[in-house]
Amino acid sequence: MSGIPEHPELWAFLASLAPGATLSGTVAEIEPFGVFVALDDGPTHPLFPGLGFITYPELAWQSFDEATDVVQVGQRVTCEFLQFDTWNLEARLSLRAMQPDPFQGFADRVAVGQELCGEVTKVVPFGAFVRVDGIEGIEGFVHREHLIAGPEEVLSGVVRIGEEMTVVVTEVDRTRRRLSLSRQGPITDS
């Protein structure tokens, strides 16, 4: 069943695609919910500016603020086909799948217990995110218990965004792409 009236040519084209196939096209429109791609092959979409669609998480491995940090309208892209969205009759695509995952390369070079330097990018009630120096897009997390001495201390008084910090790798989870860290040195600055 589809949210779009019958279009047999469109259905046939999308049904013929296999996950992992490589598709090329031109970025047709950037929206707050994703990027439309006008594919080189296949019919035009009856409602959308492109038959291909890339969600924000599938644009790039590294974090970004705006889709325009990654792509521009009119830019040529080559993407991996992920799935056929039968409701919207579109090809769900991944641009990031066409690039090596920087986390996997990082995981090959780092070991538990290794000391790293980084910059605090975000402070949340349960800890802080630290971007590892010299490696684009790799952030780790330092849990609150590794930053402050007791539950009564306020985390924002101990660590600040932009602060340089020496950390130690406590876990590398390749599957979930997560890096767990602990602060090196004294637990609190007070």
Side-chain angles (χ1 to χ4, degrees), residues 14 23 29-39 45 48-59 79-83 85 88-95:
L14 291 168
L23 300 173
E29 192 169 308
I30 298 172
E31 295 290 342
F33 48 87
V35 175
F36 288 101
V37 177
L39 297 176
H45 198 282
F48 304 138
L51 180 57
F53 185 76
I54 310 169
T55 60
Y56 276 36
E58 292 299 330
L59 281 172
C79 300
E80 181 178 301
F81 173 69
L82 300 176
Q83 67 183 19
D85 179 339
N88 291 317
L89 292 181
E90 62 191 15
R92 289 292 172 105
L93 307 173
S94 175
L95 183 59

PDB file of all heavy atoms in Angstrom, residues 14 23 29-39 45 48-59 79-83 85 88-95:
ATOM      1  N   LEU A  14      11.446   0.915  -8.673  1.00  0.00           N
ATOM      2  CA  LEU A  14      11.883   0.799  -7.282  1.00  0.00           C
ATOM      3  C   LEU A  14      11.983  -0.660  -6.837  1.00  0.00           C
ATOM      4  O   LEU A  14      12.913  -1.037  -6.130  1.00  0.00           O
ATOM      5  CB  LEU A  14      10.956   1.589  -6.361  1.00  0.00           C
ATOM      6  CG  LEU A  14      11.039   3.107  -6.514  1.00  0.00           C
ATOM      7  CD1 LEU A  14       9.902   3.795  -5.779  1.00  0.00           C
ATOM      8  CD2 LEU A  14      12.379   3.627  -6.031  1.00  0.00           C
ATOM      9  N   LEU A  23      23.554   4.226  -6.862  1.00  0.00           N
ATOM     10  CA  LEU A  23      22.727   5.105  -7.683  1.00  0.00           C
ATOM     11  C   LEU A  23      23.335   6.501  -7.687  1.00  0.00           C
ATOM     12  O   LEU A  23      23.814   6.971  -6.659  1.00  0.00           O
ATOM     13  CB  LEU A  23      21.298   5.171  -7.137  1.00  0.00           C
ATOM     14  CG  LEU A  23      20.531   3.850  -7.062  1.00  0.00           C
ATOM     15  CD1 LEU A  23      19.208   4.048  -6.342  1.00  0.00           C
ATOM     16  CD2 LEU A  23      20.302   3.282  -8.452  1.00  0.00           C
ATOM     17  N   GLU A  29      16.651  19.091  -3.841  1.00  0.00           N
ATOM     18  CA  GLU A  29      16.084  19.975  -2.823  1.00  0.00           C
ATOM     19  C   GLU A  29      16.545  19.520  -1.444  1.00  0.00           C
ATOM     20  O   GLU A  29      16.665  18.329  -1.189  1.00  0.00           O
ATOM     21  CB  GLU A  29      14.555  19.931  -2.895  1.00  0.00           C
ATOM     22  CG  GLU A  29      13.872  21.013  -2.101  1.00  0.00           C
ATOM     23  CD  GLU A  29      12.387  21.091  -2.431  1.00  0.00           C
ATOM     24  OE1 GLU A  29      12.025  21.174  -3.616  1.00  0.00           O
ATOM     25  OE2 GLU A  29      11.601  21.068  -1.455  1.00  0.00           O
ATOM     26  N   ILE A  30      16.789  20.487  -0.564  1.00  0.00           N
ATOM     27  CA  ILE A  30      17.171  20.205   0.821  1.00  0.00           C
ATOM     28  C   ILE A  30      16.045  20.700   1.718  1.00  0.00           C
ATOM     29  O   ILE A  30      15.642  21.855   1.639  1.00  0.00           O
ATOM     30  CB  ILE A  30      18.504  20.897   1.177  1.00  0.00           C
ATOM     31  CG1 ILE A  30      19.632  20.358   0.286  1.00  0.00           C
ATOM     32  CG2 ILE A  30      18.829  20.707   2.650  1.00  0.00           C
ATOM     33  CD1 ILE A  30      20.947  21.101   0.423  1.00  0.00           C
ATOM     34  N   GLU A  31      15.543  19.788   2.539  1.00  0.00           N
ATOM     35  CA  GLU A  31      14.446  20.093   3.458  1.00  0.00           C
ATOM     36  C   GLU A  31      14.898  19.843   4.888  1.00  0.00           C
ATOM     37  O   GLU A  31      15.905  19.161   5.106  1.00  0.00           O
ATOM     38  CB  GLU A  31      13.235  19.199   3.140  1.00  0.00           C
ATOM     39  CG  GLU A  31      12.612  19.440   1.781  1.00  0.00           C
ATOM     40  CD  GLU A  31      11.887  20.773   1.682  1.00  0.00           C
ATOM     41  OE1 GLU A  31      11.563  21.370   2.735  1.00  0.00           O
ATOM     42  OE2 GLU A  31      11.657  21.224   0.543  1.00  0.00           O
ATOM     43  N   PRO A  32      14.178  20.340   5.890  1.00  0.00           N
ATOM     44  CA  PRO A  32      14.557  20.098   7.288  1.00  0.00           C
ATOM     45  C   PRO A  32      14.542  18.616   7.676  1.00  0.00           C
ATOM     46  O   PRO A  32      15.132  18.230   8.677  1.00  0.00           O
ATOM     47  CB  PRO A  32      13.507  20.864   8.090  1.00  0.00           C
ATOM     48  CG  PRO A  32      12.940  21.869   7.149  1.00  0.00           C
ATOM     49  CD  PRO A  32      13.054  21.266   5.782  1.00  0.00           C
ATOM     50  N   PHE A  33      13.885  17.775   6.905  1.00  0.00           N
ATOM     51  CA  PHE A  33      13.766  16.358   7.221  1.00  0.00           C
ATOM     52  C   PHE A  33      14.629  15.468   6.325  1.00  0.00           C
ATOM     53  O   PHE A  33      14.671  14.259   6.514  1.00  0.00           O
ATOM     54  CB  PHE A  33      12.299  15.907   7.134  1.00  0.00           C
ATOM     55  CG  PHE A  33      11.610  16.364   5.874  1.00  0.00           C
ATOM     56  CD1 PHE A  33      11.672  15.605   4.711  1.00  0.00           C
ATOM     57  CD2 PHE A  33      10.912  17.561   5.859  1.00  0.00           C
ATOM     58  CE1 PHE A  33      11.052  16.025   3.553  1.00  0.00           C
ATOM     59  CE2 PHE A  33      10.290  17.986   4.703  1.00  0.00           C
ATOM     60  CZ  PHE A  33      10.357  17.220   3.538  1.00  0.00           C
ATOM     61  N   GLY A  34      15.312  16.037   5.345  1.00  0.00           N
ATOM     62  CA  GLY A  34      16.174  15.234   4.486  1.00  0.00           C
ATOM     63  C   GLY A  34      16.442  15.886   3.145  1.00  0.00           C
ATOM     64  O   GLY A  34      16.065  17.044   2.906  1.00  0.00           O
ATOM     65  N   VAL A  35      17.090  15.128   2.259  1.00  0.00           N
ATOM     66  CA  VAL A  35      17.551  15.644   0.974  1.00  0.00           C
ATOM     67  C   VAL A  35      16.955  14.813  -0.159  1.00  0.00           C
ATOM     68  O   VAL A  35      17.076  13.577  -0.165  1.00  0.00           O
ATOM     69  CB  VAL A  35      19.102  15.587   0.906  1.00  0.00           C
ATOM     70  CG1 VAL A  35      19.607  15.997  -0.464  1.00  0.00           C
ATOM     71  CG2 VAL A  35      19.711  16.472   1.997  1.00  0.00           C
ATOM     72  N   PHE A  36      16.320  15.481  -1.120  1.00  0.00           N
ATOM     73  CA  PHE A  36      15.783  14.812  -2.301  1.00  0.00           C
ATOM     74  C   PHE A  36      16.842  14.779  -3.387  1.00  0.00           C
ATOM     75  O   PHE A  36      17.540  15.771  -3.611  1.00  0.00           O
ATOM     76  CB  PHE A  36      14.549  15.543  -2.830  1.00  0.00           C
ATOM     77  CG  PHE A  36      13.336  15.367  -1.963  1.00  0.00           C
ATOM     78  CD1 PHE A  36      12.944  16.360  -1.081  1.00  0.00           C
ATOM     79  CD2 PHE A  36      12.589  14.203  -2.032  1.00  0.00           C
ATOM     80  CE1 PHE A  36      11.829  16.206  -0.279  1.00  0.00           C
ATOM     81  CE2 PHE A  36      11.466  14.029  -1.224  1.00  0.00           C
ATOM     82  CZ  PHE A  36      11.086  15.034  -0.352  1.00  0.00           C
ATOM     83  N   VAL A  37      16.949  13.625  -4.053  1.00  0.00           N
ATOM     84  CA  VAL A  37      17.921  13.442  -5.123  1.00  0.00           C
ATOM     85  C   VAL A  37      17.174  13.035  -6.396  1.00  0.00           C
ATOM     86  O   VAL A  37      16.411  12.057  -6.389  1.00  0.00           O
ATOM     87  CB  VAL A  37      18.956  12.351  -4.761  1.00  0.00           C
ATOM     88  CG1 VAL A  37      19.926  12.119  -5.914  1.00  0.00           C
ATOM     89  CG2 VAL A  37      19.704  12.727  -3.492  1.00  0.00           C
ATOM     90  N   ALA A  38      17.389  13.796  -7.478  1.00  0.00           N
ATOM     91  CA  ALA A  38      16.850  13.432  -8.787  1.00  0.00           C
ATOM     92  C   ALA A  38      17.816  12.410  -9.386  1.00  0.00           C
ATOM     93  O   ALA A  38      18.948  12.735  -9.719  1.00  0.00           O
ATOM     94  CB  ALA A  38      16.741  14.666  -9.677  1.00  0.00           C
ATOM     95  N   LEU A  39      17.370  11.148  -9.452  1.00  0.00           N
ATOM     96  CA  LEU A  39      18.227  10.064  -9.920  1.00  0.00           C
ATOM     97  C   LEU A  39      18.434  10.138 -11.429  1.00  0.00           C
ATOM     98  O   LEU A  39      17.542  10.554 -12.170  1.00  0.00           O
ATOM     99  CB  LEU A  39      17.631   8.712  -9.541  1.00  0.00           C
ATOM    100  CG  LEU A  39      17.493   8.446  -8.041  1.00  0.00           C
ATOM    101  CD1 LEU A  39      16.807   7.107  -7.801  1.00  0.00           C
ATOM    102  CD2 LEU A  39      18.846   8.481  -7.358  1.00  0.00           C
ATOM    103  N   HIS A  45       9.459  11.432 -10.065  1.00  0.00           N
ATOM    104  CA  HIS A  45       8.495  11.206  -8.991  1.00  0.00           C
ATOM    105  C   HIS A  45       7.283  12.108  -9.235  1.00  0.00           C
ATOM    106  O   HIS A  45       7.439  13.268  -9.609  1.00  0.00           O
ATOM    107  CB  HIS A  45       9.136  11.511  -7.628  1.00  0.00           C
ATOM    108  CG  HIS A  45       8.388  10.919  -6.498  1.00  0.00           C
ATOM    109  ND1 HIS A  45       7.237  11.466  -5.999  1.00  0.00           N
ATOM    110  CD2 HIS A  45       8.615   9.789  -5.765  1.00  0.00           C
ATOM    111  CE1 HIS A  45       6.785  10.719  -5.013  1.00  0.00           C
ATOM    112  NE2 HIS A  45       7.617   9.690  -4.848  1.00  0.00           N
ATOM    113  N   PHE A  48       7.368  14.512  -5.502  1.00  0.00           N
ATOM    114  CA  PHE A  48       8.580  15.027  -4.890  1.00  0.00           C
ATOM    115  C   PHE A  48       9.577  15.497  -5.938  1.00  0.00           C
ATOM    116  O   PHE A  48       9.536  15.054  -7.079  1.00  0.00           O
ATOM    117  CB  PHE A  48       9.231  13.961  -3.995  1.00  0.00           C
ATOM    118  CG  PHE A  48       8.313  13.422  -2.923  1.00  0.00           C
ATOM    119  CD1 PHE A  48       8.282  12.068  -2.645  1.00  0.00           C
ATOM    120  CD2 PHE A  48       7.493  14.268  -2.197  1.00  0.00           C
ATOM    121  CE1 PHE A  48       7.445  11.564  -1.659  1.00  0.00           C
ATOM    122  CE2 PHE A  48       6.648  13.781  -1.216  1.00  0.00           C
ATOM    123  CZ  PHE A  48       6.623  12.419  -0.949  1.00  0.00           C
ATOM    124  N   PRO A  49      10.516  16.363  -5.543  1.00  0.00           N
ATOM    125  CA  PRO A  49      11.510  16.861  -6.507  1.00  0.00           C
ATOM    126  C   PRO A  49      12.559  15.826  -6.904  1.00  0.00           C
ATOM    127  O   PRO A  49      13.359  16.082  -7.783  1.00  0.00           O
ATOM    128  CB  PRO A  49      12.155  18.032  -5.767  1.00  0.00           C
ATOM    129  CG  PRO A  49      11.891  17.788  -4.325  1.00  0.00           C
ATOM    130  CD  PRO A  49      10.624  17.005  -4.246  1.00  0.00           C
ATOM    131  N   GLY A  50      12.524  14.668  -6.286  1.00  0.00           N
ATOM    132  CA  GLY A  50      13.473  13.612  -6.633  1.00  0.00           C
ATOM    133  C   GLY A  50      12.946  12.269  -6.209  1.00  0.00           C
ATOM    134  O   GLY A  50      12.175  12.161  -5.252  1.00  0.00           O
ATOM    135  N   LEU A  51      13.357  11.236  -6.909  1.00  0.00           N
ATOM    136  CA  LEU A  51      12.951   9.873  -6.610  1.00  0.00           C
ATOM    137  C   LEU A  51      13.768   9.288  -5.461  1.00  0.00           C
ATOM    138  O   LEU A  51      13.327   8.393  -4.761  1.00  0.00           O
ATOM    139  CB  LEU A  51      13.132   9.029  -7.879  1.00  0.00           C
ATOM    140  CG  LEU A  51      12.772   7.564  -7.831  1.00  0.00           C
ATOM    141  CD1 LEU A  51      11.329   7.370  -7.410  1.00  0.00           C
ATOM    142  CD2 LEU A  51      13.002   6.941  -9.195  1.00  0.00           C
ATOM    143  N   GLY A  52      14.980   9.841  -5.246  1.00  0.00           N
ATOM    144  CA  GLY A  52      15.837   9.397  -4.161  1.00  0.00           C
ATOM    145  C   GLY A  52      15.694  10.308  -2.955  1.00  0.00           C
ATOM    146  O   GLY A  52      15.391  11.499  -3.094  1.00  0.00           O
ATOM    147  N   PHE A  53      15.895   9.748  -1.768  1.00  0.00           N
ATOM    148  CA  PHE A  53      15.784  10.543  -0.545  1.00  0.00           C
ATOM    149  C   PHE A  53      16.850  10.094   0.446  1.00  0.00           C
ATOM    150  O   PHE A  53      17.028   8.908   0.688  1.00  0.00           O
ATOM    151  CB  PHE A  53      14.394  10.370   0.080  1.00  0.00           C
ATOM    152  CG  PHE A  53      14.176  11.257   1.269  1.00  0.00           C
ATOM    153  CD1 PHE A  53      13.929  12.613   1.108  1.00  0.00           C
ATOM    154  CD2 PHE A  53      14.236  10.744   2.549  1.00  0.00           C
ATOM    155  CE1 PHE A  53      13.743  13.440   2.208  1.00  0.00           C
ATOM    156  CE2 PHE A  53      14.044  11.567   3.648  1.00  0.00           C
ATOM    157  CZ  PHE A  53      13.798  12.916   3.468  1.00  0.00           C
ATOM    158  N   ILE A  54      17.561  11.072   1.024  1.00  0.00           N
ATOM    159  CA  ILE A  54      18.594  10.808   2.024  1.00  0.00           C
ATOM    160  C   ILE A  54      18.172  11.463   3.339  1.00  0.00           C
ATOM    161  O   ILE A  54      17.984  12.680   3.395  1.00  0.00           O
ATOM    162  CB  ILE A  54      19.963  11.382   1.605  1.00  0.00           C
ATOM    163  CG1 ILE A  54      20.340  10.959   0.184  1.00  0.00           C
ATOM    164  CG2 ILE A  54      21.041  10.967   2.601  1.00  0.00           C
ATOM    165  CD1 ILE A  54      21.553  11.702  -0.371  1.00  0.00           C
ATOM    166  N   THR A  55      18.044  10.650   4.402  1.00  0.00           N
ATOM    167  CA  THR A  55      17.761  11.224   5.717  1.00  0.00           C
ATOM    168  C   THR A  55      19.049  11.842   6.256  1.00  0.00           C
ATOM    169  O   THR A  55      20.145  11.493   5.821  1.00  0.00           O
ATOM    170  CB  THR A  55      17.264  10.139   6.696  1.00  0.00           C
ATOM    171  OG1 THR A  55      18.266   9.145   6.829  1.00  0.00           O
ATOM    172  CG2 THR A  55      15.952   9.537   6.230  1.00  0.00           C
ATOM    173  N   TYR A  56      18.934  12.753   7.189  1.00  0.00           N
ATOM    174  CA  TYR A  56      20.121  13.432   7.724  1.00  0.00           C
ATOM    175  C   TYR A  56      21.186  12.468   8.266  1.00  0.00           C
ATOM    176  O   TYR A  56      22.360  12.657   7.997  1.00  0.00           O
ATOM    177  CB  TYR A  56      19.717  14.462   8.779  1.00  0.00           C
ATOM    178  CG  TYR A  56      19.311  15.785   8.167  1.00  0.00           C
ATOM    179  CD1 TYR A  56      18.619  15.854   6.963  1.00  0.00           C
ATOM    180  CD2 TYR A  56      19.626  16.983   8.784  1.00  0.00           C
ATOM    181  CE1 TYR A  56      18.259  17.065   6.406  1.00  0.00           C
ATOM    182  CE2 TYR A  56      19.259  18.196   8.237  1.00  0.00           C
ATOM    183  CZ  TYR A  56      18.576  18.236   7.047  1.00  0.00           C
ATOM    184  OH  TYR A  56      18.237  19.429   6.488  1.00  0.00           O
ATOM    185  N   PRO A  57      20.808  11.432   9.040  1.00  0.00           N
ATOM    186  CA  PRO A  57      21.856  10.537   9.543  1.00  0.00           C
ATOM    187  C   PRO A  57      22.632   9.826   8.430  1.00  0.00           C
ATOM    188  O   PRO A  57      23.768   9.412   8.645  1.00  0.00           O
ATOM    189  CB  PRO A  57      21.082   9.517  10.391  1.00  0.00           C
ATOM    190  CG  PRO A  57      19.833  10.219  10.774  1.00  0.00           C
ATOM    191  CD  PRO A  57      19.503  11.113   9.622  1.00  0.00           C
ATOM    192  N   GLU A  58      22.051   9.689   7.247  1.00  0.00           N
ATOM    193  CA  GLU A  58      22.719   8.996   6.147  1.00  0.00           C
ATOM    194  C   GLU A  58      23.540   9.930   5.250  1.00  0.00           C
ATOM    195  O   GLU A  58      24.116   9.498   4.263  1.00  0.00           O
ATOM    196  CB  GLU A  58      21.701   8.222   5.303  1.00  0.00           C
ATOM    197  CG  GLU A  58      21.089   7.045   6.029  1.00  0.00           C
ATOM    198  CD  GLU A  58      22.091   5.990   6.456  1.00  0.00           C
ATOM    199  OE1 GLU A  58      23.122   5.815   5.775  1.00  0.00           O
ATOM    200  OE2 GLU A  58      21.854   5.322   7.485  1.00  0.00           O
ATOM    201  N   LEU A  59      23.619  11.213   5.609  1.00  0.00           N
ATOM    202  CA  LEU A  59      24.401  12.156   4.804  1.00  0.00           C
ATOM    203  C   LEU A  59      25.905  12.022   5.024  1.00  0.00           C
ATOM    204  O   LEU A  59      26.675  12.085   4.069  1.00  0.00           O
ATOM    205  CB  LEU A  59      23.982  13.599   5.097  1.00  0.00           C
ATOM    206  CG  LEU A  59      22.705  14.080   4.425  1.00  0.00           C
ATOM    207  CD1 LEU A  59      22.314  15.456   4.953  1.00  0.00           C
ATOM    208  CD2 LEU A  59      22.855  14.100   2.917  1.00  0.00           C
ATOM    209  N   CYS A  79      25.230   7.425  -4.326  1.00  0.00           N
ATOM    210  CA  CYS A  79      24.751   6.905  -3.052  1.00  0.00           C
ATOM    211  C   CYS A  79      24.511   5.402  -3.131  1.00  0.00           C
ATOM    212  O   CYS A  79      24.388   4.834  -4.209  1.00  0.00           O
ATOM    213  CB  CYS A  79      23.424   7.571  -2.685  1.00  0.00           C
ATOM    214  SG  CYS A  79      23.493   9.348  -2.521  1.00  0.00           S
ATOM    215  N   GLU A  80      24.412   4.805  -1.957  1.00  0.00           N
ATOM    216  CA  GLU A  80      24.031   3.398  -1.862  1.00  0.00           C
ATOM    217  C   GLU A  80      22.529   3.324  -1.630  1.00  0.00           C
ATOM    218  O   GLU A  80      21.983   4.056  -0.797  1.00  0.00           O
ATOM    219  CB  GLU A  80      24.772   2.737  -0.706  1.00  0.00           C
ATOM    220  CG  GLU A  80      24.453   1.263  -0.567  1.00  0.00           C
ATOM    221  CD  GLU A  80      25.237   0.615   0.561  1.00  0.00           C
ATOM    222  OE1 GLU A  80      26.485   0.662   0.509  1.00  0.00           O
ATOM    223  OE2 GLU A  80      24.594   0.061   1.486  1.00  0.00           O
ATOM    224  N   PHE A  81      21.863   2.430  -2.367  1.00  0.00           N
ATOM    225  CA  PHE A  81      20.430   2.203  -2.164  1.00  0.00           C
ATOM    226  C   PHE A  81      20.233   1.380  -0.902  1.00  0.00           C
ATOM    227  O   PHE A  81      20.841   0.318  -0.736  1.00  0.00           O
ATOM    228  CB  PHE A  81      19.832   1.477  -3.374  1.00  0.00           C
ATOM    229  CG  PHE A  81      18.397   1.066  -3.182  1.00  0.00           C
ATOM    230  CD1 PHE A  81      17.394   2.017  -3.110  1.00  0.00           C
ATOM    231  CD2 PHE A  81      18.061  -0.273  -3.053  1.00  0.00           C
ATOM    232  CE1 PHE A  81      16.071   1.643  -2.917  1.00  0.00           C
ATOM    233  CE2 PHE A  81      16.734  -0.660  -2.865  1.00  0.00           C
ATOM    234  CZ  PHE A  81      15.742   0.300  -2.800  1.00  0.00           C
ATOM    235  N   LEU A  82      19.386   1.867   0.026  1.00  0.00           N
ATOM    236  CA  LEU A  82      19.120   1.167   1.277  1.00  0.00           C
ATOM    237  C   LEU A  82      17.841   0.353   1.218  1.00  0.00           C
ATOM    238  O   LEU A  82      17.809  -0.815   1.575  1.00  0.00           O
ATOM    239  CB  LEU A  82      19.033   2.161   2.437  1.00  0.00           C
ATOM    240  CG  LEU A  82      20.273   3.003   2.707  1.00  0.00           C
ATOM    241  CD1 LEU A  82      19.996   4.000   3.819  1.00  0.00           C
ATOM    242  CD2 LEU A  82      21.453   2.112   3.053  1.00  0.00           C
ATOM    243  N   GLN A  83      16.757   1.025   0.791  1.00  0.00           N
ATOM    244  CA  GLN A  83      15.460   0.347   0.761  1.00  0.00           C
ATOM    245  C   GLN A  83      14.466   1.123  -0.075  1.00  0.00           C
ATOM    246  O   GLN A  83      14.653   2.293  -0.376  1.00  0.00           O
ATOM    247  CB  GLN A  83      14.913   0.152   2.172  1.00  0.00           C
ATOM    248  CG  GLN A  83      14.549   1.450   2.867  1.00  0.00           C
ATOM    249  CD  GLN A  83      14.081   1.236   4.296  1.00  0.00           C
ATOM    250  OE1 GLN A  83      14.336   0.214   4.894  1.00  0.00           O
ATOM    251  NE2 GLN A  83      13.409   2.219   4.845  1.00  0.00           N
ATOM    252  N   ASP A  85      10.974   2.751  -0.104  1.00  0.00           N
ATOM    253  CA  ASP A  85       9.942   3.293   0.780  1.00  0.00           C
ATOM    254  C   ASP A  85       8.615   3.160   0.032  1.00  0.00           C
ATOM    255  O   ASP A  85       8.319   3.941  -0.870  1.00  0.00           O
ATOM    256  CB  ASP A  85      10.253   4.753   1.115  1.00  0.00           C
ATOM    257  CG  ASP A  85       9.207   5.395   2.005  1.00  0.00           C
ATOM    258  OD1 ASP A  85       8.055   4.912   2.064  1.00  0.00           O
ATOM    259  OD2 ASP A  85       9.526   6.416   2.639  1.00  0.00           O
ATOM    260  N   ASN A  88       5.969   6.368   0.409  1.00  0.00           N
ATOM    261  CA  ASN A  88       6.268   7.576  -0.364  1.00  0.00           C
ATOM    262  C   ASN A  88       6.736   7.286  -1.789  1.00  0.00           C
ATOM    263  O   ASN A  88       6.966   8.209  -2.563  1.00  0.00           O
ATOM    264  CB  ASN A  88       7.340   8.412   0.340  1.00  0.00           C
ATOM    265  CG  ASN A  88       6.827   9.030   1.614  1.00  0.00           C
ATOM    266  OD1 ASN A  88       5.720   9.549   1.668  1.00  0.00           O
ATOM    267  ND2 ASN A  88       7.620   8.944   2.663  1.00  0.00           N
ATOM    268  N   LEU A  89       6.910   6.013  -2.113  1.00  0.00           N
ATOM    269  CA  LEU A  89       7.423   5.592  -3.422  1.00  0.00           C
ATOM    270  C   LEU A  89       8.724   6.312  -3.748  1.00  0.00           C
ATOM    271  O   LEU A  89       8.834   7.046  -4.726  1.00  0.00           O
ATOM    272  CB  LEU A  89       6.382   5.832  -4.536  1.00  0.00           C
ATOM    273  CG  LEU A  89       5.127   4.974  -4.486  1.00  0.00           C
ATOM    274  CD1 LEU A  89       4.214   5.304  -5.666  1.00  0.00           C
ATOM    275  CD2 LEU A  89       5.468   3.501  -4.481  1.00  0.00           C
ATOM    276  N   GLU A  90       9.705   6.084  -2.903  1.00  0.00           N
ATOM    277  CA  GLU A  90      11.016   6.692  -3.118  1.00  0.00           C
ATOM    278  C   GLU A  90      12.109   5.703  -2.736  1.00  0.00           C
ATOM    279  O   GLU A  90      11.879   4.750  -2.001  1.00  0.00           O
ATOM    280  CB  GLU A  90      11.165   7.988  -2.326  1.00  0.00           C
ATOM    281  CG  GLU A  90      11.072   7.813  -0.835  1.00  0.00           C
ATOM    282  CD  GLU A  90      10.948   9.121  -0.064  1.00  0.00           C
ATOM    283  OE1 GLU A  90      10.660  10.162  -0.645  1.00  0.00           O
ATOM    284  OE2 GLU A  90      11.126   9.070   1.164  1.00  0.00           O
ATOM    285  N   ALA A  91      13.277   5.960  -3.276  1.00  0.00           N
ATOM    286  CA  ALA A  91      14.453   5.150  -2.978  1.00  0.00           C
ATOM    287  C   ALA A  91      15.180   5.793  -1.813  1.00  0.00           C
ATOM    288  O   ALA A  91      15.660   6.923  -1.927  1.00  0.00           O
ATOM    289  CB  ALA A  91      15.371   5.076  -4.201  1.00  0.00           C
ATOM    290  N   ARG A  92      15.248   5.097  -0.675  1.00  0.00           N
ATOM    291  CA  ARG A  92      16.008   5.602   0.466  1.00  0.00           C
ATOM    292  C   ARG A  92      17.484   5.353   0.190  1.00  0.00           C
ATOM    293  O   ARG A  92      17.876   4.234  -0.140  1.00  0.00           O
ATOM    294  CB  ARG A  92      15.577   4.926   1.755  1.00  0.00           C
ATOM    295  CG  ARG A  92      14.193   5.350   2.201  1.00  0.00           C
ATOM    296  CD  ARG A  92      14.206   6.824   2.619  1.00  0.00           C
ATOM    297  NE  ARG A  92      12.892   7.328   2.877  1.00  0.00           N
ATOM    298  CZ  ARG A  92      12.405   7.559   4.078  1.00  0.00           C
ATOM    299  NH1 ARG A  92      13.133   7.317   5.146  1.00  0.00           N
ATOM    300  NH2 ARG A  92      11.202   8.048   4.219  1.00  0.00           N
ATOM    301  N   LEU A  93      18.288   6.399   0.333  1.00  0.00           N
ATOM    302  CA  LEU A  93      19.688   6.363  -0.050  1.00  0.00           C
ATOM    303  C   LEU A  93      20.608   6.703   1.117  1.00  0.00           C
ATOM    304  O   LEU A  93      20.189   7.342   2.081  1.00  0.00           O
ATOM    305  CB  LEU A  93      19.948   7.364  -1.179  1.00  0.00           C
ATOM    306  CG  LEU A  93      19.054   7.268  -2.411  1.00  0.00           C
ATOM    307  CD1 LEU A  93      19.323   8.442  -3.346  1.00  0.00           C
ATOM    308  CD2 LEU A  93      19.283   5.951  -3.117  1.00  0.00           C
ATOM    309  N   SER A  94      21.878   6.307   0.972  1.00  0.00           N
ATOM    310  CA  SER A  94      22.904   6.680   1.945  1.00  0.00           C
ATOM    311  C   SER A  94      24.108   7.245   1.210  1.00  0.00           C
ATOM    312  O   SER A  94      24.717   6.553   0.389  1.00  0.00           O
ATOM    313  CB  SER A  94      23.337   5.468   2.766  1.00  0.00           C
ATOM    314  OG  SER A  94      24.415   5.821   3.617  1.00  0.00           O
ATOM    315  N   LEU A  95      24.441   8.493   1.503  1.00  0.00           N
ATOM    316  CA  LEU A  95      25.649   9.099   0.965  1.00  0.00           C
ATOM    317  C   LEU A  95      26.858   8.661   1.799  1.00  0.00           C
ATOM    318  O   LEU A  95      27.922   8.393   1.273  1.00  0.00           O
ATOM    319  CB  LEU A  95      25.518  10.627   0.971  1.00  0.00           C
ATOM    320  CG  LEU A  95      26.659  11.430   0.378  1.00  0.00           C
ATOM    321  CD1 LEU A  95      26.884  11.058  -1.081  1.00  0.00           C
ATOM    322  CD2 LEU A  95      26.374  12.922   0.499  1.00  0.00           C
TER     323      LEU A  95
END
